[in-house]
């Protein structure tokens, strides 16, 4: 090679040409070694840079914050196209609409969903989800299977640490939130105002049913509107009342945060943890855009989204615009939820930007066209499966016996838990619920 280069230089009578050729050859050798792994340190840095660049383009890839890791290496080449997921079904946020869609997805891919133990609760709600209160995840033989087909699709209180311990890395974690004042009104209507009217119409007594607390306790069984309830709850709510969190930062509570958190720096830290651990936080007021992002997140088809929600109830809505004192009360009581909503509303639109506004508008047109065509086509079988596990409205009107909270819950759980569950599990679950503000009055 050297002889050949010298001959080339003699022909051109230029020593500078020889130097240039030697430099070119040397550069070629360096790059050859680089691409063949001869310089692992440099290659490693480049690979890491490329990985980070790829992650920055993936709107659903979350940075794992310090101390957390999933339970196995990412080895999903042979996994199907569907994604295991955890859907934290928040209360009165439009989450039932999302759940009907995810039920269809579960049905189509024959996935296993954690069974509900009471109403639509999973994992020990209102306590943070615990493994021993889950059926499939707690009884798996292969805990490191990256293609795990178990999903959580119900009301459960978020526990990010547990999710990262028991779910594969490819799991997607998502939820939906709503403007806090809208959520507050919807919750009051569902848990109290609507039931009050139904009880009167059907001739039932609301009794002392703990599942409509704290509304029943705060309102003292009277027929009041949501503004009156806001005044009463501001003066009388305390953590000793069962299910008190329904009237104080309920969305943050569902996402695992202490609803009594008031320090702004602590609030910001908690929200940052949620942001790091969630793949998508949908916004009720932008449901269609949320569903487009969900479709991308779970590799859904358009057919998965062709689900119509017929469970929406109409009710009188009120504005706080003309009630500055009540607005101040609400903002003080729901400070955490308000911070939460503003933060994730901003991140939501950043995800939309990363998805592409033009692409989003095109997909919105497609979704709405599909909805118009399939207006009357619903996943009836998925709905039947969903409704089969629910309490019907008459259940709310059963008079709760004046007995201990734990004893009462055990009686209910005996009917709802899988037959193979033992008595100790029933008592443990009842105690866990009571200890986490989910008991009944004595």
């Amino acid at each position: 090679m050297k002889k050949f280069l010298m001959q080339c230089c003699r022909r051109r009578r230029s020593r500078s040409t020889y130097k240039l050729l030697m430099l070119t050859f040397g550069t070629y050798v360096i790059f050859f070694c680089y691409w063949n792994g001869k310089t692992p340190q440099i290659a490693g840095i480049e690979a890491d840079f490329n990985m980070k660049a790829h992650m920055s383009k993936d709107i659903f890839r979350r940075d794992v914050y310090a101390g957390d890791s999933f339970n196995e290496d990412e080895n999903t080449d042979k996994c199907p196209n569907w994604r295991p997921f955890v859907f934290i079904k928040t209360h009165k946020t439009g989450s039932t609409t999302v759940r009907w869609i995810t039920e269809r997805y579960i049905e189509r891919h024959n996935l296993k969903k954690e069974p509900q133990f009471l109403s639509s609760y999973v994992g020990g709600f209102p306590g943070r989800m615990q493994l021993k209160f889950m059926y499939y995840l707690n009884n798996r033989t292969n805990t490191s299977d990256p293609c795990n087909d178990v999903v959580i699709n119900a009301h459960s209180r978020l526990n990010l640490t547990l999710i990262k311990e028991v779910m594969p890395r490819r799991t997607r974690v998502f939820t939906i939130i709503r403007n806090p004042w809208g959520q507050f009104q919807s919750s009051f209507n569902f848990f109290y105002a609507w039931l009050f009217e139904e009880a009167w119409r059907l001739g039932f007594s609301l009794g002392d049913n703990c599942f409509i607390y704290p509304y029943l306790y705060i309102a003292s069984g009277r027929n009041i509107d949501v503004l009156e309830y806001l005044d009463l709850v501001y003066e009388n709510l305390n953590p000793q009342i069962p299910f008190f969190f329904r009237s104080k930062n309920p969305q943050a509570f569902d996402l695992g945060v202490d609803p009594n958190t008031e320090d702004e720096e602590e609030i910001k830290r908690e929200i940052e943890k949620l942001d790091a651990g969630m793949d998508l936080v949908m916004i009720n007021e932008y449901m269609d855009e949320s569903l487009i992002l969900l479709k991308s997140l779970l590799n859904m088809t358009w057919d998965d989204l062709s689900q119509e929600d017929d469970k929406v109830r109409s009710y009188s809505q009120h504005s706080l615009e003309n009630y500055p004192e009540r607005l101040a009360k609400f903002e003080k009581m729901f400070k955490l939820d308000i911070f939460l909503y503003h933060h994730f509303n901003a991140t939501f639109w950043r995800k939309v930007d990363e998805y592409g506004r033009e692409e989003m508008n095109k997909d919105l047109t497609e979704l709405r066209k599909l909805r118009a065509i399939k207006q009357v086509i619903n996943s009836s079988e998925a709905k039947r499966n969903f409704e089969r596990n629910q309490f019907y409205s008459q259940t709310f009107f059963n008079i709760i016996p004046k007995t201990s909270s734990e004893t009462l819950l055990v009686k209910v759980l005996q009917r709802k838990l899988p037959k193979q569950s033992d008595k100790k599990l029933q008592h443990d679950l009842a105690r866990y619920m009571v200890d986490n503000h989910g008991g009944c009055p004595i």
Side-chain angles (χ1 to χ4, degrees):
M1 176 62 74
K2 182 176 180 181
K3 185 177 179 181
F4 170 76
L5 292 173
M6 289 297 292
Q7 287 175 350
C8 290
C9 290
R10 288 193 193 100
R11 290 192 190 107
R12 292 167 175 75
R13 297 177 182 178
S14 171
R15 184 171 296 275
S16 62
T17 303
Y18 170 74
K19 290 181 179 179
L20 179 61
L21 288 171
M22 287 300 292
L23 179 61
T24 303
F25 177 73
T27 303
Y28 170 80
V29 171
I30 291 172
F31 273 91
F32 178 82
C33 294
Y34 171 77
W35 290 112
N36 284 275
K38 301 300 183 182
T39 54
Q41 185 176 5
I42 297 175
I45 293 173
E46 181 69 19
D48 183 62
F49 174 79
N50 288 336
M51 181 184 71
K52 289 180 179 177
H54 173 73
M55 288 175 65
S56 68
K57 294 176 183 177
D58 183 353
I59 63 174
F60 300 118
R61 177 72 66 182
R62 60 186 176 276
D63 295 324
V64 180
Y65 48 87
D68 279 332
S69 60
F70 283 88
N71 69 327
E72 90 292 318
D73 295 330
E74 183 75 31
N75 183 21
T76 61
D77 293 342
K78 297 181 180 179
C79 293
N81 194 40
W82 50 261
R83 293 278 189 181
F85 66 84
V86 174
F87 173 44
I88 301 299
K89 189 176 183 294
T90 47
H91 288 79
K92 310 317 299 171
T93 58
S95 62
T96 297
T97 297
V98 178
R99 181 175 173 174
W100 280 343
I101 290 170
T102 49
E103 284 286 323
R104 183 169 187 157
Y105 182 81
I106 291 168
E107 187 179 57
R108 182 163 67 87
H109 293 292
N110 197 28
L111 305 179
K112 299 185 184 75
K113 63 173 179 176
E114 281 294 339
Q116 302 155 180
F117 60 82
L118 184 62
S119 186
S120 57
Y121 300 158
V122 164
F125 187 90
R128 292 180 181 87
M129 61 174 68
Q130 296 293 317
L131 184 60
K132 69 177 181 178
F133 301 133
M134 298 182 186
Y135 180 71
Y136 288 119
L137 289 174
N138 196 33
N139 289 283
R140 286 183 303 164
T141 54
N142 182 5
T143 58
S144 61
D145 180 11
C147 302
N148 164 57
D149 61 352
V150 178
V151 301
I152 298 174
N153 192 46
H155 286 302
S156 50
R157 194 172 180 208
L158 183 62
N159 183 341
L160 282 171
T161 302
L162 177 67
I163 290 171
K164 291 178 184 293
E165 287 175 355
V166 303
M167 298 294 286
R169 183 182 297 274
R170 61 196 295 265
T171 300
R172 295 299 179 245
V173 185
F174 59 97
T175 190
I176 182 169
I177 61 175
R178 182 178 185 177
N179 178 291
W181 176 241
Q183 192 277 340
F184 179 80
Q185 293 186 85
S186 179
S187 186
F188 171 79
N189 178 73
F190 177 79
F191 286 109
Y192 190 73
W194 167 72
L195 290 173
F196 189 96
E197 293 174 3
E198 286 292 290
W200 182 83
R201 182 177 66 85
L202 297 172
F204 282 97
S205 168
L206 290 178
D208 207 7
N209 193 312
C210 66
F211 292 105
I212 53 177
Y213 268 61
Y215 304 94
L216 183 61
Y217 178 86
I218 297 294
S220 301
R222 295 181 292 115
N223 186 13
I224 61 174
D225 65 24
V226 69
L227 295 176
E228 293 175 274
Y229 180 76
L230 175 60
D231 293 335
L232 291 171
V233 79
Y234 182 81
E235 297 294 337
N236 300 297
L237 188 69
N238 70 76
Q240 305 307 315
I241 303 173
F243 295 95
F244 85 96
F245 53 84
R246 286 175 175 161
S247 290
K248 186 168 186 179
N249 300 308
Q251 298 179 86
F253 180 88
D254 285 344
L255 296 179
V257 183
D258 180 356
N260 292 309
T261 305
E262 295 184 358
D263 179 73
E264 288 193 10
E265 292 304 315
E266 181 63 22
I267 288 174
K268 290 176 182 177
R269 283 193 293 270
E270 292 294 335
I271 291 176
E272 285 171 4
K273 289 179 184 178
L274 289 174
D275 200 355
M278 304 289 290
D279 292 291
L280 175 64
V281 176
M282 296 178 283
I283 304 295
N284 170 280
E285 288 76 16
Y286 305 101
M287 181 63 80
D288 286 355
E289 290 86 349
S290 294
L291 294 179
I292 298 297
L293 295 181
L294 180 64
K295 175 179 177 290
S296 178
L297 179 70
L298 296 183
N299 296 326
M300 285 178 158
T301 66
W302 284 113
D303 191 52
D304 289 321
L305 299 187
S306 61
Q307 185 67 51
E308 190 171 342
D309 182 8
D310 61 2
K311 194 186 173 185
V312 176
R313 296 186 181 91
S314 60
Y315 55 91
S316 299
Q317 299 190 45
H318 299 265
S319 172
L320 292 176
E321 185 177 351
N322 297 321
Y323 303 97
E325 291 184 2
R326 283 171 167 157
L327 176 61
K329 290 177 181 178
F330 183 80
E331 289 178 339
K332 183 176 180 180
M333 284 196 70
F334 285 76
K335 180 179 180 179
L336 177 52
D337 268 8
I338 292 170
F339 267 79
L340 186 81
Y341 182 79
H342 285 317
H343 175 88
F344 284 109
N345 189 40
T347 63
F348 177 83
W349 290 107
R350 286 200 291 271
K351 289 184 185 295
V352 170
D353 287 335
E354 291 167 1
Y355 187 86
R357 293 288 179 128
E358 186 176 344
E359 187 71 16
M360 175 61 73
N361 288 333
K362 184 177 74 173
D363 286 349
L364 287 173
T365 301
E366 182 68 24
L367 175 62
R368 289 159 185 168
K369 186 191 303 180
L370 178 68
R371 187 176 292 148
I373 294 172
K374 296 193 173 184
Q375 210 167 19
V376 294
I377 301 177
N378 293 313
S379 180
S380 56
E381 181 59 30
K383 275 190 182 180
R384 284 196 295 272
N385 290 337
F386 170 77
E387 291 170 351
R388 193 174 295 132
N389 292 319
Q390 307 306 302
F391 278 153
Y392 294 97
S393 61
Q394 284 86 351
T395 305
F396 287 97
F397 307 129
N398 291 337
I399 298 177
I400 300 299
K402 298 288 185 178
T403 184
S404 75
S405 304
E406 187 173 344
T407 302
L408 168 66
L409 284 170
V410 166
K411 289 181 179 179
V412 177
L413 292 170
Q414 285 172 347
R415 301 195 305 268
K416 303 299 292 184
L417 286 171
K419 292 181 180 179
Q420 55 268 44
S421 63
D422 57 27
K423 291 184 178 180
K424 184 178 185 306
L425 175 63
Q426 296 165 4
H427 283 272
D428 287 349
L429 178 52
R431 175 47 50 191
Y432 188 64
M433 291 177 65
V434 171
D435 291 343
N436 286 277
H437 314 289
C440 298
I442 297 177

